Amino acid sequence: MSQPFRIAAGGRIERDRTLSFTFDGRALTGCAGDTLASALLANGVHLVGRSFKYHRPRGIYSAGPEEPNAMVALGPTDTHTPNLRATEIELFDGLQAHSQNRWPSLARDVRAVVDRAAPLVPAGFYYKTFMWPADRWMTYEKHIRHAAGLGLASTGVDAAATYDRRFAHCDVLVVGGGAAGLTAALTAARAGARVIVADERPTWGGSLTAAPTTLDGADSRLWIASTLAELTERDNVTLLPRASVFGRYDQDLYGIAVRRPDGSPNDAAPRETLWLVRTQRAVVAAGAIERPLVFANNDRPGVMLAGAAQAYLNRYAVMPGRRAVIATNNDSAYAAARDLQAAGVDIAAIVDARVEPARITIDGVRHIPGSAVVAARGHSRVTGAAVAHLGSDGKSLDGAVEIIDCDLICASGGWSPTVHLYSHAGGKLRYDSDIAALVPRDELATLSVVGAAAGQFVLDRCFAAGAAAGRQAVAACGYGATVIDVPVCDGQAATPPRPLWHLPLARGHKGKRFVDLQADVTVDDVELAAREGYRSVEHLKRYTTLGMGTDQGKTSNINGLAILAETLNDPIDAVGTTTFRPPYTPVTLGTFAGRETGKHFAPIRRTPLHDRHEQAGAVFAPAGLWLRPHYYPRGGVDVQTASRREATAVRRSVGLVDVSTLGRIDIQGTDAAELLNRLYVNGWSTLAIGRVRYGLMLREDGMVSDDGTTARLAADHYIMTTTTANAGAVMTHIEHYLQLVWPDLDVRVASITDQWAVIAVAGPNSRATLQRVAGDIDFTNESLPFMGLAQGTFAGVPATVFRISFSGELAYEVAVPADYGPAVWDALMAAGESFDITPYGTEALGILRVEKGHFVIGAEADGRATADDLGLGRMQSTKKDFVGRRSLGRPALTAPNRKQLVGLRPVDAAAAIPAGAQIVEKPSLIGPVEMIGHVTSTAFSPEREGFIALAMIANGRARVGDQVFASSPLTDTLVQMTITNHVFIDPNGERLRA
Amino acid sequence: MPEALPREPAIRPVQKVGTASTAGVVLTLRPAATILRLCAPLDHAPFVAALAAAGLSLPEDPCISEQWGDATAFWVAPGEWWLVDIGATLTETTIRADLPARPRAIVDLSHSRTIMRIGGSQAVDLVAKGCPLDLDPTAFPTGGCPQSVLAGVNLLLHRLPANAGFDLYVPRSYARHLWEWLQLAGAEYRISVAAG
């Protein structure tokens, strides 16, 4: 094992399992159980990235999710995942990682010149510097964005990566598997509650694993192991390691991103799974995050949080340096110093801002009280610490500056409780001056915060609080009380910290003092913002970008707002803090997308005849969620050629089209006709059994919402047809009215869209075709007239045939139970063979309906058209009420000059009509010019041998014969048009009744 | 009678590996069933008596089914049930003709649903990937038949006795999509697909 900084014993790694990995192409080894960060440190690699704005060399700063610096791209270059925290990446054999934001290499980064030009680029420099000339901003922005930044999104698709989703429910969700969390979980589990415990680390124990701890007189490992054994054994407990609880949402829904351990033997397992957990109660035991000390050049590789140094030692048996200076304002760094010294690190000095002694003493180490590290020496690695005595106000220095040689500065500025989920739930924070940190202010109804996350830093109280929270949570869920023995452990309180938000600069030891390492925000930036009037912490954040990095300022928020408070001479409580919002840690987009990518983006609906269309070579097009045949390119022709052939076949002989996608609603009950009367503008009381009628539906505001035919099968039994797109909406509309507005009606509705396969057979030879199919239905005009229906046996199966037409030709719709659809299709194809029966798709359907002048919902009836606008004003009954009727009297709906449905033909018969064109009276493509209407649908009409269009034109019906222009600036075309009637073929409907 | 007619179901499963011992999920396409949606006056005593005489009682609690031989009655909405595979005992014709109170509505939905069975030790894990319901037996007991969503598809789930998994009543047009989804999402559990 050639890892020079690996200690011979200890840690929780598997020493005998060596793993190979590369960092920037350099081959290295680590151990199973390492993170990428600990493996890099074991190899003595501290320089791992360049900073966001100044391109300064950066090292590994923490050992957890708060990491501001050590962000890497993981995986091969073209499919990598950027901006992952090296402190959270579990090492696996073959791992490839790359540093970010540097060119040409990490060691020589040309953009590092920005650092020397820093006075020219203070916070908000781009608002001031690049304002003139205004039109150049786009150019400036491009360069600024290129120079600043983190990792780049990958360009390739990692086909092997799958992401998944999982819904889960529980009584108690415990966030954090440390002392308080595991105790809460065990308490709840013993009561019988359904418990989920999530922790972002692969191993359990939280801060207990970062320091040697004695519980019940033994190593804390024993307690962790026995607690986990019991939790694992219980059926009512789900343990989720590697699980980041990133957000709390309404009604106690929690989002958890659960990572797969890479190199998992089960290859089909998803890389990451989004757990959506709905819980009755949550116990948040998320711990605390250590704060940096803000001294000059506090970002140099080799400056590290003291707790992180301790964690690398105790968890991973890694020595983060050979000779350390400990800089602190509280007791916790002493424990780190003690462990580092025991592992063989030379502790050069403990520099404590406080004068009063800490509760921990360490023999044989130089102790410098009342002082602080005011600057780090060195460039790409720390070479020394500048130490000076602090004045009593903490803002000045007295005495000389001493340089102490070292390669590691362990800094601790106190601890900030991890209150993010509490904030997501709407909880407010208060400043606790005893621990110099923000803590939860109030009790929330369904979420409790315990342990270090609540500002409780004494271990025995964490256990007690965990047990109490567990009991309280299960009691709220209706479970009985349980007894749990919490371990006996250290109950000693620490010496209070000395708040130290930033350190003064010492003469001769100037340098940037970083408040936010990831966003490169310094003390000077915060003070500048305050001077320039950004007195609100929210403004400070936006002006300086403090806390706006991917780490959301986990290490910087408190220092930043305290410096602002100091500058403004306000108390910290008065300045407040920005609101924490989800996600707690960044979640890759793949996790949210899950399996809903590519062709699985949305469900696909297929008709019972789908395979027949495929066999006929159909090109499909989506219609809502449905796939419908767009056209059938016999011999590989294009859509125009195919659709014109199909439309001509319908006009001259016979075609068939799959209309199974239309919505169909079964309506039964003594009040069925009354329901139809109220839904449709026209009347239904006179519709005879065995007859079909066209109906038009309005929204409450009087605009046309849907149309279709409804057939009366029996006295109290109707079948309604809706458009394909609105099938669901119409069903919802009807159910809404039946349940809330007209509950007194004796009528029941049911969607039967999926029950039927429906084939429309259209064209002059349609009757002859149907008559050739075996069955007992009489298709003669006398027996089955236009708008009639017949039921019987057709092609050997029970069928209902409606004589209705959308194409304008003699036509029938044959409806059969869905599974029989393919057989009926085959029978029709065989019967029509001598007529060259032609399947047609939605493109030909569109041609036929434009020729016939039928409007469609979504094009002509686009939500702004009334029945009268569409030429159907007289359909509206005056003898009954219906949905939308009372809106019809509104002035705007009866105003003159409303747009009305008309037809258009180009004056030059060969000219094409641009779809979506505006109708203008002046032949001008350049505005402003009055737009009197717009083209809604266009088609090449084989019947009229030229282009035709439908349009909505102001007062259009009175303008038939006028010449206007279709103007399409987008395609740079202007076509002279004649306004016509909207019906282009068979205006008297003779073909329908043939 | 339906056997004689040329039925073509929404999906034709391709049998896939999976010895019973290693497969965590067993996916089976169920044979076509008779499904009648019945809106009935349960407050009408003679009607209920006639149902009982036919061997069927309708569950009155929401989202619960009752089994009678091969037949099942699902509660689907207030005053609405699905009668599944009532077979020769009670047909649409007999319901209409024989019952003393006229049912408010009967709709044949037999062709509108494709029935898929998800069994195996990890059936619950697979369903939980796409269905937001609480699948714990305390919340969703055996015989439960709630309507929910699975992978974007509205459907009815029926929990089978003896930990046999779930029957999914899938709208026919979504069947192929869901069938593919189940196989993809279930791959990590070693899925076995049994032919019809």
Side-chain angles (χ1 to χ4, degrees), chain A residues 164 194 611 668 754 819, chain B residues 12 106 129 132 134 172-173:
Chain A
D164 217 334
R194 285 198 283 160
D611 288 351
Q668 297 183 42
D754 280 276
D819 284 0
Chain B
R12 270 157 297 184
I106 295 177
K129 282 188 176 198
D134 187 349
R172 192 189 195 285
S173 55

Side-chain angles (χ1 to χ4, degrees), chain A residues 441-514:
Chain A
R441 191 186 71 189
D442 310 305
E443 290 275 312
L444 298 184
T446 57
L447 177 150
S448 58
V449 188
V450 293
Q456 183 50 264
F457 296 146
V458 183
L459 189 56
D460 71 338
R461 285 175 219 167
C462 291
F463 281 109
R471 273 194 297 273
Q472 199 187 341
V474 291
C477 301
Y479 293 90
T482 45
V483 181
I484 183 167
D485 294 325
V486 296
V488 177
C489 59
D490 180 23
Q492 200 184 26
T495 303
R498 176 181 182 180
L500 208 56
W501 309 119
H502 70 95
L503 289 150
L505 287 170
R507 190 161 300 152
H509 297 278
K510 302 273 192 266
K512 292 192 185 68
R513 293 168 294 172
F514 285 94

Side-chain angles (χ1 to χ4, degrees), chain A residues 583-606:
Chain A
Y584 169 63
T585 46
V587 181
T588 186
L589 287 175
T591 302
F592 289 109
R595 297 183 176 277
E596 289 156 20
T597 61
K599 74 167 187 161
H600 300 290
F601 181 68
I604 292 170
R605 301 181 75 177
R606 294 177 177 87

Side-chain angles (χ1 to χ4, degrees), chain A residues 164-167 169 194 266 270 600 605-606 608 611-612 666 668 748-749 754-755 796 819-820, chain B residues 5 7-8 12 37 80 106 108-112 125 128-129 132-134 136 172-174 176 188:
Chain A
D164 217 334
R165 187 170 304 164
R166 166 100 192 201
F167 295 93
H169 302 255
R194 285 198 283 160
N266 189 350
H600 300 290
R605 301 181 75 177
R606 294 177 177 87
D611 288 351
R612 292 297 182 275
D666 180 282
Q668 297 183 42
R748 294 286 185 156
V749 295
D754 280 276
Q755 169 71 10
D819 284 0
Y820 305 143
Chain B
L5 297 176
R7 289 192 78 150
E8 196 166 300
R12 270 157 297 184
R37 174 182 176 276
E80 292 182 22
I106 295 177
D108 184 0
L109 297 177
S110 305
H111 287 241
S112 75
D125 295 304
K129 282 188 176 198
L133 284 179
D134 187 349
D136 191 88
R172 192 189 195 285
S173 55
Y174 291 98
R176 202 172 292 180
E188 66 172 303

Side-chain angles (χ1 to χ4, degrees), chain A residues 667-677 716 718 744-747:
Chain A
I667 302 172
Q668 297 183 42
T670 51
D671 288 326
E674 178 57 21
L675 174 69
L676 294 170
N677 270 334
D716 296 343
Y718 295 76
D744 51 310
L745 289 187
D746 173 32
V747 60

Side-chain angles (χ1 to χ4, degrees), chain A residues 127 252 271 413 508 720 886 905 922:
Chain A
Y127 300 132
D252 299 290
R271 175 182 284 180
M720 173 190 283
R886 37 173 301 193
R905 295 219 64 187
K922 294 182 189 142

